Structures are given as structure tokens and as C-alpha cells.
Amino acid sequence: MIEIRLHGRGGQGAVTASRIIATAAYEEGKYSQAIPMYGTERRGAPLTAFVRIDDVRVRERELVHNPEISIVLDPLIAKQQAVVDSLKPGGLVLLNTAYPPEEVNLGGDFKVATVDATTIALETLGRPITNTAILGAFAKVTGLLKVESIEKAIKKFFPGRLGDMNIAAVKRSYDEVKGPIQAVVKDAPPEKVDIHVGGYGVLKDVSSWRVYTPEIDVEKCVGCKTCWIFCPETAIQWDEEKNKPWIRYEACKGCGVCANECPVNAIEMVRVEV
Amino acid sequence: MSERITRAQIPMSELTITPGSACQGCGAALAARLAFKALGPNVIRHGIPCCPDSVTQTPRVGTVFEGGGAQLTGTSRALKAIGREDVLAVGFYGDGGTYDIGFQGLSAAAERNENIIVITKDNEAYMNTGNQRSGATPKYARTSTNPIGPRSRGKPRPKKNIPFIFAAHYVPYVGTASVGFPEDLIAKVTYMKTIKGFRMLIVQSPCPVGWRFDPAKTIEIARASVQSGIWPLYEIMDGKTFKLNYKPKELKPVTEYLSPQARFRHMTEDEIADIQETATANWENLLKADEMGRLTL
Amino acid sequence: MSYEVMVGNKAAATAVKLAKVQVASAFPITPQTTITQYLSEMYAAGEWDFDFVNVEGELTSQVVVQAASKVGARTFTCTSGPGLLYMHHPMQVTGSSRLPVVMAVVHRGYKGMQPDHSDLMSQQWTGWGHQYVEHAQEILDSLLMAYKVAEDARVRIPIAVGYDGYVLSYTAEPVEIPDQGDVDKWLPPYKPMPSVLPDEVDPSTFSRGWGGGDPQMPWKIHHEAVLKIEEVLKETMDSFEKTFGRRYGNGMIEPYKMEDAECAIIAMGTIAGTCKAAVDKMQAEGKKVGLIKLRSFIPFPVNDFQAWTKKLDGFAVVDRSICPGKGGPVFGKLRDSLYDLEKKPVTLQFHAGLGGKEVRVHDFEMIGDKILKAAKGGTVEQVTWV
């Protein structure tokens, strides 16, 4: 049995990706199971899904704890050591990132493959949804399933023209994936950011939710307090002495309301460096 | 009636503990944050299953989904029994807990004029469970249980007129508010604190995920809703006295509100005209009531 | 100390007054209805610092007392049959939240209006203590004791006290009414644990947090807290007798003329009273059968029944309810309690009084005869619908 873990963000289609893999496996006469991590998903928050593939019907119902393969759909989450947590020694991690495998900083005993699925998705689908774009790379580097099976499965989920576009993304990532090579960094770093978000309550740091980060030009700011009043997370704090805002970044989810509302365009939403 | 305040008069205090688990750009999270600036810390915050449950620096109690009105009642009666009527019993409920499954209990609490404050974060569907339709979902809106297909054009029926329904219980205060108009929202919560009895504020809270728009536009959409007459801001006291708080000289067309939201993207010109007609007609009625300063209920 | 010839529902209302309940709430339903009226009259007369909330449905009444208890008021609610089923959802929150609400259940079987125990029996999973009482005096006394047990720091579990509708709710009997002063001394004021007032609450509780930890623990803790009722109920029965001069067995069970018995009939509620009359008759005829009246169904007196087994050859279990497809709850639970013992007395299942069917003295004589026959090795069908 092969166990796979997928990492994505709420709204990016990680769960669909897990089901496409499971469908492709069944196309090849294998049995499969696609499991989402249940919780109240939040748009933009990191989430996890799992797949099991076996030659017999899968009986286990526990979650996947030691996957052979980890697939990361989001380039920011791809930087978190947590994506290779409990990966079986000798396993493989496939990252959506523009960096080549040699420049990946995740540490441990596993192979690393990378593909810039975001760019591929933007160019073939017009949107940065990477759940299908990464599956061609998956077929190539794992050799687990034929890319034709992936394409057949995609047609079941995305009929017609949409299916064709997604298959184009699959073909490209099959060709463009780099690696796998043995991870350059041998040891896992001691600290780790928790990227699983489930349930309710107060979080410690939501920086990983941001694809864009607000940056304030305090010179332009006229002190109207608009950004401060409209931030749902009180990430924008107000310095009453200076009469200017400052940002508590660990509370900022990058929604962009502040930038959109600022009457003098003093806030810019800057793409987070990937 | 609430008294207008300026941006500068908005209290600096923050009682929500953040970051919470709300989605990016969540209107309901902002509604809770703003309300608490006026409510202050001497509150027992009441919750029921809802989205999101903003955490505050106050004690929190919760119960079953349909128990919103009942739990506020129990708290309020017990506070009286133990001599602590200084503490506010405030409920933060969603549209499910107000319009639908929670309606009976709230209606009865209103009828008994319980000494409670209900703040409804209205995001117009059961968002916590994935955007299923509610009695608060507007006509033509697409939800996961009102999808678009040959047999369905989204929700076939209009949104329940909850503010008027509760006003018809002859309670001391019913108000509508919007996260796009924070001064008005805070002024209304401030006013509610000065009186006793059943007080309710329904805050339209745009939801980027369910209404399908770029989270950066949450406030823009909240504002457009008010400015097009889709969600007018008003107050009704004792089911009689009526005041329209925001009266633009001319309403903006409803398309300004509908267009940025993919939940309305399927609408035909006729359907949009239907919404426009309803908004315009409703606005005329409210203007008349405002002129007279009262409603006939 | 005074007395009054009063109906069971009045006895319940009188207990509410003696316990100085602060907030009560109920919705009228036959045969509980008159309790809501008594309480309303007590409220209107201003007999003590009491608030009665007239609500629009039973579910609301449960949530009202749940919230009021949480904030710090001693509470009471009451209902019957379908009303109890309707409040099932919030009942489990009251249980899980460890709130010492006391509720009177005026039995109404849910297939009709007349009494049987299906209403309270179907609420086993809500995490409350369940008691069943026989007569009006016991209603008053048990409700008072319920407050003391529920509010005990070792317990903090809501308790439901059930009594048969019509037969008890509307039959008048002489009831001794304890002195208010004695009750005040015996039942201290209620303090919520923990406090939810803004100036008293522990700030570390603000965030509901992630869950995390073992999700099985809340169930284990709850289960153990309900089991604790046995110890505290027995203590409370001792102190009740000391203060007020009455007791009902050890609180969990009340043996009746069991000294020389070879077999026991197990019954709950009013039919146990009818059984006592039958036992008197049978023992006068030399038949060695007595009654073990079951008072606490949850927690179940496992230890007591195991102890009695040493002296007995047979148990005739009379269930006034049945779980369709499963069987009688007391019968099943009793047999489960005896399973590991070496000595296994004969056990027979009787269904009596379901749907309010009248159970008569001669019915218990038949039951007595059957268990005695079975205990001596005679062939008797295991299940009898009386």
C-alpha cells in the first residue's frame, strides 16, 4: 500500500486532487481511498488531504500518519518543514515552487522534486489553482500511475473544454518537473510552524495564510483611520501618538480590505516572496 | 434613537482576541469587533453554532443551535436573581440562529421582552456548514443548496424581513447595521446599552467565500448594499417609531451591489430588474415612514 | 412541620419553594400542566425571591434553566412525555456542562397520554442522574435531595426525578411539609462552578482552543461523575433522615420486607407501591417474595444488587417501558450487573403498565408466584406481558 499526503490551502482543490489520484488508481485496476482532514475549512487556511492506493480494497480508516509521498500545492506552504513531517525515510516530497530541488531547504531523508505548478496553472487555466497542474509531475516522479490514467480521471471531474485545459496543465508539469534528487539538507530544523488549521478559537500566527502582504507607506498616510477601522482581525493597529497605522503581521491574513479602502492608496498589497 | 458619532469618536479599545479562525476578509468578524468596541467588557457573550465564533476578552457561554433566545433569557433572569443586572447578556448569532432554526426561541424572547441584546451577523446563508441557503438568503442568490440549473435559478424566494418581524413584537429596539458603516453600527450598539428590554441589531456581514467575491471588496460590497437600498439602515422603537439613518439623495443602481458577487452572476436582465424594482419600492415605503417618524404595524 | 393533602404535582411545586429555587421555567403539557400553574401562582404571590419563565416550548425551557444555572441561579424545570423528547437536544448540553439542574418528569409514555417510563428511559444518553419515585411524599423529599446531590462538588450533574402521571400527579395524599428553616440549614445556597461573571471568570478560558487532547476524556469524566451520584446520594439519604426523620432505603434501592425473602420483585414508581400491598398479602400466605424498589436507574445500583444476590434465588424484573427491538431496560441492566457473579439467580422479565395500563395487586401476586416457581426450577416463560 502507498500512502500520500497532500498539502494545500482552503479553496485550492487539494481534496479534488486527492480524489483524482484515487480515481486514476482505480482506472489502473488498483483500489484507493481519498480522505480529507475534516474540520471547518477556512478560505486561505492551510489544509491536508490523504490518499491510499493498494492492490486490495483498503480497509484502514485511520488517518495517514507516515506517508511515502507528500505533495504540496501551495508555494508558500512548500517552505514549511511540516510538509515533510513523518514522511517515511526514503520517501518523496513534490513541491509546487519555482525553486529547483537543490535550493529547497526542507531537511531529512527523502527525495525532493519541484515544479512551478502555479505558473503552469496561470498559463494554461488562467487561475493559480494548482491541484491538477501538479498531477502530471506526480505521475512522472513517482511512476506510480500512468499520466494517461490521471488524464482519464480528470475528464471525470472536469468534462468538456475545462477538462482539456486541465489536461494541458498536466502534460506541462509532466515535462517540466525537476528531480527527484536526495534532499540537500540532511537534518530537520528544530522548530516547526503548525500548518494544520482546524476548529475554532484563537490562532497564534496566520502569516502562512497570506499570498499578498499589505505594506503601508506612512508618508502617504493622512491618518484617517480607515484601514484600522475595517480590519477584521485587528491586524492594523493605530499609533495614537504618531497618528499612523502599523501592522501586527502575525494577525494579518492578507485579505486586502485595508488596501482597497485606503482613500489615498497608501497601502500596497505585495505578492509574498515565494 | 442612536446618536451619530464621528470616526474620531470610535472607541480605541479592542475586545476581540485575534487572529481568529475566520476566513480572509470576513464581514462577521468585523461586525463582532466593532460591536464590542461599544459593548465593553462587562458582557457575557452568548454563542451558538455559527460562523465565525469571534473570541473576546469576556466570558462565553454556548448552547444548541436553536437555543439562542432561550439561553439569553436564562442568563438574564439569573443575573437578576443574583443581583448582577449590570452585566449584559449579549448574543452573537448568525442568520440560521436568528431567521430559521433559532427563530422560535428569539421570537418568544421578544414577545416576553426579555432584557437581552441580540446581534445578528447576517451573511445570508448557513456559511459555517458550507453556504447552504437560509431564510436570510436573498432572491436569486446561488447557494450550495440553491444551485443554478434548468430547474433552479438560485433561491426562488426573497429574504425574510426579520427587522420588521421583530419590530412587530413591539420590542424596545430593532435596528439594522452594516460593517460598511462602522460609526452607525457603533452608535446603535452604544444606544442599545442605555435601554432595557429586548434589543436587536441585524448587521449585514458580507462573506467573501459564500457570496464569491475578492475578500478585499468586503467593505465595498457592504457599502453598495446600503447605498442601493438593498440593505437600508434604520431603527424601529417599540414597533412604532421609525428612523432611516442613512438617506442618500439618490440610490445607486442595484447592479453595483450584484455585479461583483459571483452568487448573482447567472442573473438575467429581467431578474436584475426584479431586484431593482423591489429595492426601489421598499425604499419609497421607508422614506414615507421616515417622514412620518413611525410605522404602522 | 405541617402537612397538606395534596396532589403529586403540588408536592413537586412545594419542593421548588422549599429549595428556594431562583429561576424556573416550564411549558405546560399533560399531565405536568398544573405544576406550571402552581409555580406561576407562587411567583405572583411573591412567596420568595423567585422567577418563573413562561416559555413557548420545552426545548426553550431546558435551555433557559441551563443558562440560568450556568450564571448562578438554582433552577427547576418539569415536563412529560413528548415534551421531554423535544428537549433531548439541549438536555445533553446540560449534562455535558455539568450543571446541577433538577427536573421533575411527570411520566407520560410517548405512545399516548397515560403513564409509563418510556419518556425518561429514552433519555439515558443525556448524561443525567435518573430517579423514579413511588408517592407524593417521596416526590417532595426526592426533589429536595436531588438539589443537595446535584450541587455537590463531587457530582455537579443534573438530576431528573420521574413520577407517574395521573396516578401521582393528580391523586391527593397527605404530605408532610418540612420546615423552611430546617431546609435552609440543610440545603446551602447554590454557587456556580466555575463562575461566568466577567469580573470573576478565569481569563484563560476565553479562547475555546483547538480541541487537541484525547477526545474520549470528556466522556470518561462525565461517566465517572454520574457514577459518583451513588456515594453522594447514600450520604444525602442519611443526612435527610437525620434532619427530617424519613428515609427511602439507601437512596439507590428501597428493600421492602426482604428479610426472609427468597426472591425479589424489582419495580419502580407507583407500581412499586401496589407491589408492596401484594408482598404483604403473599408473605401472609407464606410466600417468600419481597420487593426491591429501584429508585436510582442511573447510576444503577450494581453493588446493591450484587450483594442481594447472595441471599436470593430469583429476581422478577418489572419494566414499565420497552425499547422496541431491544427489551426492558431494568431487566437488561440487572442481568448485566449479575453476569460476573458465580451464583446466578433466575431472572424473569415482566412488562407491566405500558401505555398506562393499570397494574393491580393480583398482577403482582401472579408475578410473585411465577418467580418463586422459576426459582425452584419450574418452567416459566422468561418474558411476560402483564
Side-chain angles (χ1 to χ4, degrees):
Chain A
M1 179 167 66
I2 301 288
E3 295 179 309
I4 303 168
R5 186 173 66 212
L6 295 96
H7 294 276
R9 242 180 237 288
Q12 277 182 345
V15 173
T16 305
S18 71
R19 290 177 185 162
I20 292 173
I21 296 173
T23 305
Y26 197 69
E27 282 286 329
E28 290 188 20
K30 298 198 176 60
Y31 291 88
S32 55
Q33 213 184 46
I35 312 161
M37 273 289 265
Y38 287 114
T40 0
E41 291 85 42
R42 295 278 173 244
R43 160 74 58 81
L47 68 78
T48 314
F50 308 101
V51 184
R52 287 191 166 97
I53 300 174
D54 205 351
D55 295 315
V56 296
R57 182 173 290 282
V58 180
R59 279 85 41 88
E60 291 87 334
R61 291 291 164 183
E62 49 173 54
L63 299 173
V64 167
H65 290 282
N66 296 102
E68 275 86 2
I69 300 166
S70 174
I71 305 175
V72 186
L73 298 171
D74 184 278
L76 287 176
I77 295 175
K79 292 176 128 180
Q80 305 291 347
Q81 180 67 20
V83 304
V84 292
D85 227 12
S86 344
L87 204 57
K88 278 211 179 73
L92 181 146
V93 62
L94 169 61
L95 304 167
N96 168 21
T97 175
Y99 292 107
E102 295 78 18
E103 292 179 38
V104 167
N105 287 325
L106 308 175
D109 172 17
F110 45 80
K111 296 208 171 33
V112 181
T114 66
V115 63
D116 187 355
T118 301
T119 300
I120 293 172
L122 282 167
E123 289 174 6
T124 53
L125 301 167
R127 301 159 99 211
I129 308 282
T130 55
N131 63 339
T132 52
I134 205 162
L135 293 179
F138 165 76
K140 177 89 181 286
V141 301
T142 63
L144 253 184
L145 300 169
K146 303 196 205 64
V147 73
E148 291 80 19
S149 312
I150 303 267
E151 292 173 3
K152 261 203 200 133
I154 283 181
K155 277 299 218 178
K156 283 193 192 304
F157 283 82
F158 302 103
R161 210 185 105 244
L162 198 53
D164 294 331
M165 284 160 64
N166 277 287
I167 285 172
V170 167
K171 284 183 154 60
R172 270 192 62 179
S173 74
Y174 186 90
D175 292 333
E176 293 176 29
V177 63
K178 300 193 183 81
I181 61 164
Q182 185 64 25
V184 162
V185 178
K186 297 292 163 214
D187 300 309
E191 271 168 50
K192 216 171 35 194
V193 172
D194 183 9
I195 58 167
H196 175 65
V197 176
Y200 298 94
V202 179
L203 296 163
K204 287 206 196 68
D205 189 330
V206 293
S207 301
S208 64
W209 293 36
R210 291 197 299 273
V211 180
Y212 291 88
T213 296
E215 281 176 16
I216 304 178
D217 182 348
V218 285
E219 301 299 309
K220 273 190 179 163
C221 169
V222 296
C224 69
K225 284 171 138 175
T226 300
C227 57
W228 168 78
I229 195 67
F230 287 125
C231 176
E233 298 292 342
T234 69
I236 301 206
Q237 303 274 298
W238 195 258
D239 185 334
E240 290 186 79
E241 262 185 55
K242 299 196 185 115
N243 204 43
K244 300 274 183 189
W246 59 277
I247 299 179
R248 197 167 59 103
Y249 279 103
E250 69 270 20
C252 171
K253 292 170 178 164
C255 68
V257 165
C258 54
N260 199 43
E261 291 301 310
C262 175
V264 296
N265 291 319
I267 304 181
E268 206 192 323
M269 296 303 290
V270 177
R271 182 87 199 263
V272 175
E273 252 187 57
V274 168
Chain B
M1 290 292 158
S2 62
E3 277 171 32
R4 277 188 159 36
I5 62 167
T6 62
R7 173 83 32 109
Q9 290 171 302
I10 293 178
M12 294 304 296
S13 57
E14 305 285 0
L15 278 161
T16 47
I17 305 175
T18 56
S21 55
C23 301
Q24 297 160 325
C26 173
L30 183 59
R33 175 188 167 220
L34 295 174
F36 264 96
K37 282 175 176 296
L39 286 170
N42 199 23
V43 164
I44 298 178
R45 184 180 100 245
H46 292 65
I48 51 179
C50 185
C51 165
D53 187 23
S54 306
V55 180
T56 54
Q57 293 169 45
T58 62
R60 186 237 181 224
V61 298
T63 192
V64 296
F65 198 179
E66 64 277 22
Q71 75 172 336
L72 286 168
T73 299
T75 295
S76 157
R77 299 291 187 122
L79 287 171
K80 185 155 181 234
I82 64 172
R84 288 302 305 268
E85 284 183 277
D86 58 293
V87 179
L88 290 174
V90 183
F92 274 85
Y93 302 151
D95 44 287
T98 304
Y99 288 63
D100 297 336
I101 198 171
F103 178 73
Q104 175 188 311
L106 275 175
S107 166
E111 183 265 324
R112 294 187 304 264
N113 196 27
E114 297 291 344
N115 188 26
I116 62 180
I117 293 176
V118 180
I119 298 181
T120 299
K121 307 167 279 177
D122 188 355
N123 54 21
E124 304 191 339
Y126 304 144
M127 290 308 183
N128 199 28
T129 43
N131 190 21
Q132 293 86 32
R133 60 89 93 206
S134 77
T137 306
K139 195 172 178 191
Y140 301 120
R142 173 186 173 177
T143 65
S144 65
T145 44
N146 278 127
I148 309 304
R151 285 165 71 176
S152 169
R153 298 293 303 158
K155 182 158 175 271
R157 295 277 303 148
K159 188 182 172 91
K160 270 194 209 179
N161 190 346
I162 275 287
F164 273 57
I165 290 169
F166 276 94
H169 290 59
Y170 307 108
V171 291
Y173 187 86
V174 177
T176 62
S178 165
V179 292
F181 290 76
E183 293 86 352
D184 176 78
L185 191 162
I186 290 170
K188 285 169 172 163
V189 176
T190 305
Y191 176 71
M192 288 198 293
K193 278 178 76 172
T194 65
I195 58 173
K196 289 206 181 297
F198 186 94
R199 296 148 281 169
M200 183 179 222
L201 188 68
I202 302 111
V203 185
Q204 192 188 41
S205 311
C207 167
V209 178
W211 299 13
R212 300 151 92 101
F213 59 82
D214 173 3
K217 294 192 152 82
T218 295
I219 303 302
E220 233 178 79
I221 284 172
R223 205 179 294 129
S225 184
V226 173
Q227 291 171 333
S228 62
I230 295 239
W231 184 254
L233 300 178
Y234 55 80
E235 301 173 283
I236 309 174
M237 322 232 330
D238 303 308
K240 290 199 297 282
T241 316
F242 180 85
K243 178 164 183 211
L244 204 48
N245 305 105
Y246 176 79
K247 282 186 294 203
K249 287 213 168 51
E250 229 182 84
L251 287 181
K252 296 220 160 100
V254 296
T255 43
E256 244 185 70
Y257 172 67
L258 301 172
S259 308
Q261 303 176 52
R263 66 174 172 156
F264 295 122
R265 187 171 48 198
H266 59 282
M267 284 171 75
T268 63
E269 269 186 40
D270 284 344
E271 288 164 347
I272 294 173
D274 179 15
I275 298 297
Q276 182 66 71
E277 233 179 86
T278 308
T280 310
N282 189 43
W283 185 249
E284 304 290 309
N285 282 339
L286 296 182
L287 283 174
K288 280 197 199 102
D290 183 60
E291 222 184 278
M292 292 194 297
R294 59 184 167 81
L295 287 178
T296 31
L297 276 174
Chain C
M1 199 242 313
S2 58
Y3 88 96
E4 189 185 311
V5 173
M6 60 166 82
V7 296
N9 278 357
K10 183 96 188 278
T14 307
V16 172
K17 178 173 162 184
L18 288 167
K20 291 223 172 99
V21 164
Q22 293 164 286
V23 176
S25 180
F27 183 78
I29 181 170
T30 310
Q32 156 264 43
T33 321
T34 52
I35 306 182
T36 70
Q37 291 162 193
Y38 293 129
L39 295 180
S40 301
E41 284 161 16
M42 287 171 172
Y43 164 76
E47 296 187 30
W48 79 100
D49 210 348
F50 173 57
D51 199 357
F52 180 68
V53 191
N54 274 299
V55 290
E56 81 298 348
E58 290 88 347
L59 191 153
T60 291
S61 68
Q62 176 66 220
V63 180
V64 169
V65 295
Q66 177 190 107
S69 182
K70 192 145 204 188
V71 171
R74 178 173 284 151
T75 55
F76 174 79
T77 185
C78 51
T79 188
S80 301
L84 188 61
L85 271 61
Y86 179 30
M87 60 160 82
H88 177 85
H89 186 195
M91 266 181 79
Q92 55 82 22
V93 175
T94 308
S96 300
S97 305
R98 308 284 299 275
L99 296 167
V101 170
V102 171
M103 172 161 67
V105 176
V106 188
H107 293 306
R108 165 175 158 171
Y110 62 73
K111 285 194 194 292
M113 297 261 270
Q114 299 295 321
D116 66 40
H117 297 161
S118 55
D119 54 6
L120 188 52
M121 274 302 169
S122 62
Q123 304 310 309
Q124 290 178 50
W125 283 75
T126 53
W128 286 50
H130 293 201
Q131 295 172 17
Y132 292 77
V133 302
E134 180 200 329
H135 51 75
Q137 182 73 62
E138 197 178 359
I139 294 174
L140 188 154
D141 294 343
S142 299
L143 286 172
L144 286 179
M145 285 191 270
Y147 282 106
K148 200 155 166 78
V149 174
E151 291 173 12
D152 191 294
R154 296 166 287 176
V155 172
R156 289 276 149 164
I157 291 287
I159 294 179
V161 176
Y163 62 89
D164 296 321
Y166 291 102
V167 184
L168 267 194
S169 63
Y170 297 132
T171 300
E173 304 174 284
V175 173
E176 286 183 359
I177 303 167
D179 230 33
Q180 184 68 65
D182 290 340
V183 177
D184 290 342
K185 277 194 224 103
W186 180 81
L187 181 65
Y190 164 59
K191 276 226 88 57
M193 277 162 54
S195 174
V196 293
L197 296 176
D199 47 347
E200 292 173 11
V201 71
D202 172 8
S204 75
T205 62
F206 289 157
S207 172
R208 273 209 285 162
W210 291 113
D214 183 350
Q216 294 197 134
M217 285 316 290
W219 286 101
K220 180 163 189 280
I221 292 169
H222 192 169
H223 174 60
E224 287 163 5
V226 176
L227 290 174
K228 207 60 172 155
I229 288 176
E230 175 165 357
E231 179 187 323
V232 179
L233 178 56
K234 286 176 172 171
E235 268 176 35
T236 303
M237 185 62 73
D238 289 340
S239 101
F240 191 87
E241 185 186 31
K242 237 170 136 182
T243 313
F244 302 103
R246 284 185 297 279
R247 79 150 51 233
Y248 304 91
N250 66 7
M252 302 288 286
I253 55 163
E254 185 194 310
Y256 180 77
K257 296 203 170 169
M258 286 296 300
E259 296 78 12
D260 298 315
E262 288 167 0
C263 291
I265 300 174
I266 300 175
M268 305 194 297
T270 50
I271 62 175
T274 307
C275 184
K276 286 176 180 171
V279 163
D280 287 347
K281 236 174 145 216
M282 289 190 280
Q283 289 196 357
E285 293 162 16
K287 295 175 182 170
K288 295 191 184 294
V289 59
L291 161 76
I292 297 179
K293 180 174 117 187
L294 179 57
R295 296 188 77 252
S296 173
F297 179 71
I298 299 180
F300 193 79
V302 173
N303 298 322
D304 288 303
F305 282 118
Q306 288 184 346
W308 275 103
T309 302
K310 297 193 184 83
K311 305 185 201 159
L312 300 173
D313 299 321
F315 288 106
V317 180
V318 184
D319 264 302
R320 197 169 190 171
S321 68
I322 186 169
C323 178
K326 208 165 149 210
V330 181
F331 185 63
K333 191 60 195 161
L334 175 76
R335 283 161 62 92
D336 142 23
S337 308
L338 307 181
Y339 184 79
D340 293 318
L341 301 177
E342 252 196 68
K343 177 183 180 193
K344 286 199 184 20
V346 165
T347 54
L348 295 179
Q349 163 92 94
F350 293 88
H351 291 293
L354 275 73
K357 186 171 182 185
E358 191 184 36
V359 184
R360 304 189 56 183
V361 174
H362 61 71
D363 291 320
F364 278 108
E365 291 181 85
M366 175 272 291
I367 291 171
D369 285 339
K370 281 201 163 155
I371 191 62
L372 285 168
K373 178 176 176 194
K376 287 188 174 63
T379 314
V380 177
E381 57 282 5
Q382 193 179 53
V383 181
T384 305
W385 285 79
V386 173

